[in-house]
Amino acid sequence: MSSSSLSVQMDEVRRRAQAVLSSTGVAQDVKTHVQTMASIALPLSEKYRHLTAEDMLRENSASRSKQEVLESLSRLVKALGILEKYGCNLTFPNRPKYWRSVKHNNPVFRTTVDAIKGGRRVLFLYGYTNQQIDGLSFPDEVVQPDSEKVAAVTLEVMTLRTEVDMIVKGTHPHLEHFKDIFPFLEQQESVVNDLVVIPPVEEQPGDKPQVISPSPIPAPGPVGQPLQPSAGSPAACNVCGCPSSLVCPSCESPAFCDACDALFHRHPSRAAHKRDKIQKIKLETCGICGVSTVQSQCSTCNQRLCLNCDKLFHSHPDRKGHNRSVLAAAKTASLSLSPWACARCTTVNEMRAVLCSTCERPRLSTAASSAQDSPVPTSPNTEWQCKSCTVMNQGSSILCEVCERPRLATRPPVAPVPSSCGSQSDTNTKWTCQFCTYVNTKPTGVCEMCSLPCKDSPGDSVPQSLQQPPSITKDQTQPAAVKPTASPRVNLELKRQKMMREDGLSLINQIREAEKQDVSPEEVYAALCVCGGSNVNPCDWLTSELPHLLDEICAMAASVQLNRKTGDSGTQAVVDRDREETAESEPSATVEDVKLSRAEAKLAWLAAGGDTDRAVTQLLRDRQAKMRELHSLGFRDVTQCEEALRLSGGEVKGALSLLQRPLLEPFHQRIWTTQLEPPIDPQNPDKQRMCRRLLALYDLPSWGRCELVLALLQEPEVTYSLEDVVQAVKESHDKDFIRRLLKNECPCCLCIFPRCKMQSLTSCQCSVCHECFGQHFTVAVRDKHIRDMVCPVCGEPDINVPEQLDSYFSTLDIQLRDCLEPEVYDLFHKKLTEHALMKDPKFLWCCHCISGFINDGDQLKVTCPSCRKSFCTQCKKPWEPQHQNLSCEQFQQWKRENDPEYQRQGLAGYLRDNGITCPHCRFQYDLTKGGCMHFCCSQCRYQFCSGCNNPYHKTGCKTPQCSIPGLHAHHPRDCLFYLRDWEPPRLQALLQKSGVEFNTDPSTGTQTDTCGVMEQKDEGAEHSDSPCGLKTQPGQAGLCERHYREYLVSLINAHSVDPALQYDTVELVRACERYQVDAQRGENEDDNTFHARLLQNLSEVPLGEKVPRNK
């Protein structure tokens, strides 16, 4: 493929892999893409855009030998793996907690990334550009890493690691791009064409070495690639040029490697294509070892062997004259250096690999072995039986413990050897098992020893390679027929094998029965050594006779020791020699003074294999070693040491505990005394004593920290306590930093406290003392709303933001649990529950009392469970019988026409009925909307505009192109916020133009001198509801001018009248700019045309969506 097409392919694979990695952050998801990028034949300068791969490879392999270069590349692979994990952590959606910094003192970082050259440059590309004392970190202004760039750099790190790993393993498909960096890649193995002489082990005088003629072999490939046959080799991959393993007939038979096949056939139109694996030529293995490749062939004995087996097999004097020939070069790549191809998935693996890296099958397993062999145990702990030697191996082992053949390897081929004429009669009755070499006497198809079938015909199945043909001289003549005779040696061997088999099975059965009774195999074996000649069960003997035997062993050992001390030679000379070393330091004793335990005697008896005399010797040796150990620890009283060993069952640790207990008794008495310890005095001249007490009482990490505590307490004008200083010293060793921890001013009470006695919320960085924290939230819970429970210093967080509300109260609940009184904490939970219930759309506030409840019905009439009064669920008005079967609008119209009390109140009652309703909790207030438009609900503390119901924002809002930082709201053009500045005649003109009727005269019987509309007023620090009280004006229906404007605006909102009809040109331009509507005046455009066009454009902008429009 051309360089341009490879570059296009590289860009496409890089783009897909970068998109996947930046979204998931999982390296396994882009493993196939990385393998494809590593296999593309492009120079390093074109393949790597961010990393300087050539410089990194040169710096880590400059002026070294081949072995040192390979070791440094292995370290580079490990370091790149760690850098890959750093990049994946930055692109992962849930990044680790400490992703912003990389510490140099991290042992993994120090031994991997810091051990190579260029590792910190990769971290710089990730974004770790801020140099610190102990490492690298992201700059403070960086909120989150650049996922796109980090993913791109991480992909290049993964690709470089894959390429370097392939170079180390010798499987890289394009080594020509690395020859300038690694000169040893240009070296190739030379082909040896000389004749090879295989001399015998012991060459007789006059014998000449046999010359083996080499056969033609294919030339070896480049270094690092496996040897391939000259004919029938698979074609290269049609995409990346690597060795192919699959062919697709549906795509006109192009060849693909595994990675490119997964990418190319991922497309839905090619997902159903059936691909065929390319069959590769499998090398024949040696006929003896079954592991190495066949390199020699003997035409005399018809054997195909490797060089080692051929040299060993033909070293026999009878096989010196055999004619052999070499099938492969004498210096071909050895099995320890050349890679091998898996027979099932065709993956090329390292020679030292036992299992395939792709399908995890053993090296010698065939492609069809899964169907022929027995199923593989699914559990790794299941034992498995070797198919060559029948040994049961542990489930975790890969190779057989005896023959060292792989777990799934098939049995090595063994050719049947025709029996000689002299043993023709024996072959009809005897045959040797090819698995366990047991000689079977019956002509059955199953071995009597291992119970495995014999696949060959009955007969002596010893491999031909191990048979020694009889040497025939010229003087000797072969007899025509010799009658076979029974060999007594064979009969003795059969008898021995049968006896061994029976004894082994009997011992196994006895051990299994003993394990059921918690008896160890060692005890069974020792018991059989004692009572093996009788028919007594070993388990029964251990229960009944072993205690008496152990007492006898203890008595014998005590007697031997007493005889040694009194000068008698005793019965054991060996024991005397062992005890002579310490004889001078021990006083004389009687038999009663020597104290030995049954536990010690049992251990010695088991170690001696059931031999009583050896057990006595071993018991005395063990006791003497334990006594010497106790003597070295300072305990020289022999009687106390022996008694302690007897009570502890011979355990040194237990005896040491018993011996130390009396020594520690005074210390224990002093610890548990009722006398109090004197307090730690920093001015005490005995500084070491004070430091030791600090270490014992406060668990300080070092002696230096204790001295630092004393130094801080000795400073003049110290006001903090010892506990506060100890807590601060545990956090740091910097004296200035500790002083800052100990001196923190509470912003509420302005007192000085240590940091450990300050408390802060999770929503801000403010810290207050514990007392102020508890008092603030106690007052807030008792006297204020749940939304007033914010930081007493900065007022954070903004409770109106729903996203912050739930998380804030969940953490606040944990903090208030320990600082509030139980009854206050219960009240907090009650208010928190009511606040949560208000979010339910079925939750209703009673208009008669302050209670709230859940209404599951769908009727208009509902009764409060607290005050037992009824009201309407829609208009929240007290329920009246006339409301039955009438809508809320029809009921309001009926009251205006028929209710005398409502008629007497006039427009004041109308404004009261059309009062303020909280858009958040739907709580209704019988108040007018005049005055300040900023309204705060007393139930949920929601802040909104009473004219349009839009929320008020304390800080910046999310509205596009809004730059107002303080308190503000966004009002539509028909909101009372703008229309309250219009004069009543202008509002009346707007209503008249729209055909809406309005009142100018007061109702009959209403008060006309002062306005009686109820409104919320600020009186000190509290809000109260009271009449307006301003004087009325003629022609304004008995209301003050402000409330009359509110009445007219309510009619405008109720009939959805657009106030833009009364706008002049300046107001139209200002409104268009507010709504971001085009307000530019056209060329030669007169005033009327410009006014009409602006009005048309503004009329396309809808009126306020939340403006109350009650009629």
Side-chain angles (χ1 to χ4, degrees), residues 652-665:
V652 177
K653 291 183 178 180
L656 187 62
S657 176
L658 294 175
L659 292 173
Q660 288 177 340
R661 188 173 299 170
L663 302 178
L664 294 175
E665 187 64 26

Side-chain angles (χ1 to χ4, degrees), residues 519-531 538-539 541-543 545-554 597-620 622:
V519 179
S520 65
E522 291 80 5
E523 294 176 325
V524 175
Y525 177 76
L528 288 176
C529 293
V530 177
C531 63
C539 296
W541 185 90
L542 289 172
T543 305
E545 301 297 332
L546 180 60
H548 303 290
L549 180 61
L550 296 179
D551 293 338
E552 182 180 352
I553 292 174
C554 293
S597 63
R598 284 186 179 180
E600 295 178 271
K602 184 175 182 180
L603 292 177
W605 180 68
L606 293 177
D611 191 344
T612 305
D613 295 337
R614 289 175 55 196
V616 172
T617 304
Q618 186 66 33
L619 178 59
L620 292 176
D622 295 343

